[in-house]
Amino acid sequence: MTTTTATPVVAHTRDELKAAREALPSRDVAVVMTMGALHDGHAQLIRAARSRHDHVVVTIFLNPLQFGPKEDLSRYPRTFDSDMRICSAAGVDIVFAPTPDVVYPDGDPGVRVSAGPLGEVLEGASRAGHFDGVLTVVGKLLHLTAARSAYFGQKDAQQLLLIRRMVRDLDFPVDIVSVPTVREPDGLAMSSRNTYLTESDRAVALCLSRSLRAGSEAAPYGPSAVRRAAREVLVEEPLALVDYLVLVHPDTLADVPEWYRGEALLAVAARIGTTRLIDNTPVVLGPGGGAVDVFSEAPHARADV
């Protein structure tokens, strides 16, 4: 595989992206999609893509379709200069940084990708239409970048599941690769929204990762033990306003019953101060079980839950 330390080519239009893409010496290209405000979690995605492919394209696009009317689009951090430094250090070949009129030249698209029932639970229950917006822009960026593989973080587990379903159901010729969640030294999952946290908020936010860790440690004893252990941590932190804490099947997002053994997703969402945070960990339930970095590619046990 080729390597590069040069400053990435920046493309703002479709034609610029096409020209930069055609100038690459190899067709072996991976894409990492971001909304900017890059951190080491994004850098890890880029490095993973770089290790397996000749070239990497990073998209930086703050997608208005996935923000609701009361959400934080206007105050979402915009840090293009530091984003470029991260991309350059990680060996990115092309940065595609379009404006909304480039991605949606006719305004809000009349036809969108529907996430279906899986997009209406968990995050979708709190953010109506969010995943339709995500899948629509991901589908467009997969076409525009013409990548062979796309890399996404395990932290956004529901998004990852839905993108995989879209790619499979609609026959996109691309591999979707998951990369383990990257955490701060204190356990907090890296997120661009962490910049909103005050010092006291951050201390409260650590209950999310502690809850997941406690739940995963109880995985050998079954679903009830996992849910109980995780919940006990959260109830000790009254300043965390919990939206949900669930233990669900990784393919269906249905609650797993007590008899279930195999891979499951332990996920939590809570509002800390003015900031809503999510986190999760894949676990294997049953004797010898515990936390894992990402789900296996093989069919999961007891998929009919």
Side-chain angles (χ1 to χ4, degrees), residues 11-273:
H12 294 290
T13 69
R14 293 169 180 243
D15 287 343
E16 290 173 352
L17 174 62
K18 182 179 179 182
R21 182 72 172 75
E22 291 177 347
L24 296 175
S26 168
R27 302 298 92 186
D28 182 22
V29 175
V31 64
V32 175
M33 300 181 190
T34 82
M35 294 200 298
L38 304 190
H39 49 66
D40 196 54
H42 297 107
Q44 184 61 31
L45 288 173
I46 297 167
R47 288 191 290 267
R50 183 84 232 174
S51 70
R52 302 177 193 176
H53 298 273
D54 289 342
H55 303 291
V56 178
V57 176
V58 167
T59 65
I60 297 178
F61 178 61
L62 199 52
N63 178 34
L65 292 192
Q66 64 193 74
F67 285 81
K70 297 181 179 181
E71 293 186 322
D72 55 358
L73 175 61
S74 63
R75 72 180 187 121
Y76 197 89
R78 293 161 171 83
T79 58
F80 188 76
D81 289 344
S82 63
D83 294 348
M84 286 299 297
R85 288 193 290 271
I86 289 174
C87 287
S88 182
V92 172
D93 297 271
I94 301 169
V95 171
F96 181 43
T99 53
D101 62 300
V102 170
V103 178
Y104 307 115
D106 298 318
D108 283 355
V111 175
R112 306 188 186 193
V113 179
S114 171
L118 285 177
E120 298 172 356
V121 298
L122 302 183
E123 287 302 289
S126 300
R127 307 177 69 186
H130 168 70
F131 288 115
D132 292 357
V134 170
L135 295 185
T136 299
V137 76
V138 168
K140 289 175 75 71
L141 292 173
L142 288 175
H143 287 309
L144 290 171
T145 61
R148 289 186 178 179
S149 298
Y151 284 68
F152 295 91
Q154 175 59 44
K155 176 181 171 292
D156 296 299
Q158 187 176 7
Q159 171 182 281
L160 178 61
L161 169 62
L162 285 165
I163 291 170
R164 280 185 161 147
R165 284 293 298 266
M166 177 184 74
V167 165
R168 183 171 73 246
D169 290 351
L170 301 183
D171 296 310
F172 279 74
V174 63
D175 292 326
I176 302 301
V177 182
S178 61
V179 176
T181 299
V182 179
R183 299 184 179 276
E184 302 283 359
D186 58 11
L188 184 67
M190 288 190 177
S191 169
S192 299
R193 287 186 170 86
N194 290 350
T195 60
Y196 302 156
L197 299 172
T198 66
E199 185 176 350
S200 59
D201 287 341
R202 187 184 173 90
V204 172
L206 295 180
C207 72
L208 301 186
S209 57
R210 289 201 307 270
S211 171
L212 297 177
R213 187 163 57 250
S216 64
E217 290 172 353
Y221 308 104
S224 292
V226 171
R227 294 183 176 105
R228 182 169 56 251
R231 190 178 301 113
E232 286 174 352
V233 173
L234 294 176
V235 298
E236 292 177 357
E237 184 45 84
L239 295 180
L241 303 180
V242 178
D243 184 357
Y244 60 76
L245 172 69
V246 296
L247 182 67
V248 296
H249 192 276
D251 294 334
T252 67
L253 301 182
D255 289 332
V256 297
E258 184 58 26
W259 51 258
Y260 178 83
R261 297 297 181 266
E263 294 183 344
L265 177 71
L266 179 61
V268 63
R271 184 164 294 277
I272 311 295

